[in-house]
Amino acid sequence: MRGVKGFTLIELIMVIVLLAIVATVSVQFVALSTRGALDLGARQQRALQGVVIGEQISRQLREAFPLSVRVSGSCLEWLPLLGATNYIQRTQGPGFDKIAVVPFNPVPPVGSRMVIYGYGTGTGELYENTGPGPVSPPATAISASQVTLGSSHRFTQQSPERRLFAVGAPVSICQSGRMLYRYTGYGRSETQVSPPTGGSRAVMSANLAGPVNFSVTPPSLQRAAVVAFTLTLQDYTTGSNEVTTTVQEVQIRNVP
């Protein structure tokens, strides 16, 4: 009689145990590999986000009137530079509302404010709405040879190079908890308000960790203004809570 071939119960149990061990190791390997890929992707995303935010801030600051950049707490504020030219004659009586100029290129929009010099004055004077001072009321007309102001104004200083600058409404970047906002369309104030009231805001980041540090080295006649900022982005999605820190400096060219 031929013997009956097959598996014993013990052999079957051993095979099942071995398969379970292999499956467990395989699952752990796949899980760790997937976790590593997710963490790597999150790090790359935070790094790219930090580059994008830093570039957004840098590009805007490079177009700022350097004497207007100021910091209060976690808020950075400046006046955008919209155009520049040379003036032929500052405002004169009796109206004190017209400036003779060399043509702007490009021409700033109507509503821009004109600035002459501004060194030796406080930053707050660039945000004032009264005269005499370095900043004029909004312009109501800008032609190739003349800027007409909405009301009379006397400039307190002259530029050594007879330079005239057109600036726009103030802009701020402020932190609020995990959020970083860009504020526009709010009113001017001699004292910096942080965050600004009124106007509108747009989200720049929603995953900040810790405070955003802004610092300003004011310009002088010998060197440009420098704005430094440090921000830390945290991963709130994968549960790792890893952080990526961005440190950057922006040089703003002098405009005496």
Side-chain angles (χ1 to χ4, degrees):
M1 182 176 177
R2 301 175 63 181
V4 179
K5 296 181 178 181
F7 297 102
T8 65
L9 180 60
I10 294 177
E11 290 174 332
L12 185 59
I13 293 174
M14 291 179 63
V15 171
I16 294 173
V17 170
L18 290 174
L19 289 175
I21 294 174
V22 172
T24 301
V25 173
S26 300
V27 169
Q28 288 293 328
F29 177 77
V30 172
L32 291 174
S33 299
T34 303
R35 179 70 182 185
L38 291 174
D39 289 343
L40 178 60
R43 293 189 197 104
Q44 292 176 335
Q45 184 176 7
R46 289 195 309 275
L48 178 59
Q49 183 185 5
V51 171
V52 171
I53 295 174
E55 186 64 19
Q56 287 178 329
I57 297 175
S58 298
R59 288 189 178 188
Q60 295 180 70
L61 286 174
R62 291 191 187 105
E63 300 299 325
F65 187 72
L67 299 174
S68 69
V69 182
R70 58 184 182 178
V71 173
S72 176
S74 59
C75 278
L76 177 69
E77 187 175 33
W78 70 91
L79 297 174
L81 185 61
L82 305 180
T85 188
N86 290 88
Y87 65 86
I88 299 173
Q89 183 65 59
R90 298 183 301 167
T91 55
Q92 297 291 314
F96 291 96
D97 60 348
K98 292 178 173 55
I99 309 170
V101 298
V102 176
F104 279 97
N105 186 21
V107 179
V110 171
S112 304
R113 295 174 184 267
M114 303 298 129
V115 182
I116 294 180
Y117 208 60
Y119 281 92
T121 62
T123 304
E125 289 192 43
L126 297 175
Y127 292 84
E128 286 184 338
N129 295 307
T130 59
V135 183
S136 76
T140 56
I142 301 176
S143 67
S145 60
Q146 183 175 270
V147 175
T148 303
L149 305 178
S151 59
S152 63
H153 182 80
R154 299 190 186 199
F155 291 98
T156 53
Q157 296 175 307
Q158 294 192 47
S159 167
E161 300 297 328
R162 305 182 73 84
R163 295 292 286 166
L164 179 73
F165 301 94
V167 297
V171 177
S172 288
I173 293 178
C174 300
Q175 179 189 13
S176 178
R178 290 168 45 179
M179 311 294 287
L180 185 67
Y181 294 105
R182 180 179 183 271
Y183 293 84
T184 57
Y186 58 91
R188 299 159 57 90
S189 175
E190 181 181 0
T191 302
Q192 185 176 0
V193 180
S194 55
T197 57
S200 60
R201 67 182 186 182
V203 176
M204 299 184 67
S205 176
N207 59 329
L208 294 178
V212 176
N213 297 315
F214 294 110
S215 64
V216 178
T217 302
S220 69
L221 294 177
Q222 289 76 36
R223 56 167 174 75
V226 176
V227 178
F229 57 90
T230 302
L231 56 90
T232 301
L233 304 174
Q234 186 168 356
D235 180 11
Y236 291 102
T237 58
T238 63
S240 65
N241 291 325
E242 289 188 355
V243 296
T244 300
T245 300
T246 298
V247 181
Q248 194 161 337
E249 288 187 348
V250 185
Q251 184 175 353
I252 308 175
R253 291 178 296 176
N254 262 0
V255 286

